[in-house]
Amino acid sequence: MEWQAPAIVLDVRRHGENDAVATLLSEAEGRHRGLVRGGQSRRQAATWQVGSLVAARWTGRLADQLGHFTAELVHPSAALVLDSPLALALLAAACAVAEGALPEALAAARDFADTAAVVMGLDLVITVDTSVAHLAGGLGKPVWLLSRFDGCWRWLRERQDSPWYPTLRLYRQPSPGDWAPAIAALAADLAQLTAHASDAARAA
């Protein structure tokens, strides 16, 4: 069996001396794992960076086996943000969330029922102003929304909460095109949230 598709590298872990096990996310095949021969070599290091877009090929004897990946680099997302610690941290965090939360081999959501099933498996949804924000809010899931300066009227003005969705928190641009303060505030809150979760897990 085999498939080929554009995919995002979500996770790469050492396997043996030179190989690696990679987790990729593609629209057609969903989250998929596979062995990369020589994945730890210098020659392949640039391809297998978390966050990068690759043209992937997976081969395996059965659909539920680990199988093997080969890939060519399409867009070096991680390399392009090396000079921005915040952007690099957000890219890594997004990949880690997708790797940990999405079911394996689940293709792209076909409708809101599929999307709702994914949302229900998450502790927190972080999104821009899309239908996913309304879906997560309607399901009662915690949702943090990044809103542009001239955002939708539904989010009202000069407030961080929403009368429509009690579990929603807003992070607004302070001026047109200025995302840095909103992203920094969200990143700080996320760091605090994860620290509390870690403390709770250690105490349990």
Side-chain angles (χ1 to χ4, degrees):
M1 302 185 66
E2 73 173 82
W3 56 261
Q4 298 182 58
I8 297 171
V9 180
L10 298 182
D11 184 62
V12 181
R13 302 187 183 190
R14 179 180 292 276
H15 183 78
E17 186 175 347
N18 294 312
D19 299 338
V21 174
T23 303
L24 306 187
L25 178 66
S26 71
E27 182 176 1
E29 303 297 333
R31 184 174 67 86
H32 225 88
R33 296 173 69 238
L35 181 66
V36 181
R37 296 293 187 191
Q40 295 294 326
S41 67
R42 291 184 179 181
R43 184 173 61 86
Q44 295 198 53
T47 301
W48 300 103
Q49 291 290 322
V50 170
S52 291
L53 177 66
V54 299
R57 179 174 181 263
W58 178 89
T59 57
R61 300 180 72 178
L62 297 171
D64 59 353
Q65 286 186 331
L66 182 63
H68 294 81
F69 274 132
T70 57
E72 293 183 5
L73 182 63
V74 175
H75 185 73
S77 305
L80 293 176
V81 296
L82 285 177
D83 292 335
S84 174
L86 178 59
L88 188 62
L90 288 172
L91 178 64
C95 290
V97 168
E99 198 276 333
L102 296 178
E104 190 161 5
L106 175 68
R110 295 163 296 180
D111 51 33
F112 278 119
D114 286 349
T115 307
V118 173
V119 167
M120 289 304 294
L122 302 176
D123 296 319
L124 171 67
V125 175
I126 299 176
T127 180
V128 292
D129 190 0
T130 67
S131 56
V132 174
H134 296 277
L135 179 63
L139 291 170
K141 279 289 181 177
V143 52
W144 295 358
L145 187 148
L146 286 160
S147 179
R148 64 182 188 271
F149 178 76
D150 58 341
C152 177
W153 62 268
R154 293 177 182 86
W155 309 128
L156 306 178
R157 293 179 182 235
E158 298 180 359
R159 60 187 299 168
Q160 291 182 304
D161 63 345
S162 167
W164 326 118
Y165 306 121
T167 57
L168 186 139
R169 184 184 301 180
L170 285 160
Y171 297 85
R172 302 175 185 270
Q173 283 184 329
S175 59
D178 186 10
W179 283 110
I183 292 175
L186 188 150
D189 287 348
L190 184 60
Q192 185 177 32
L193 179 66
T194 54
H196 288 166
S198 297
D199 292 341
R202 283 194 294 267

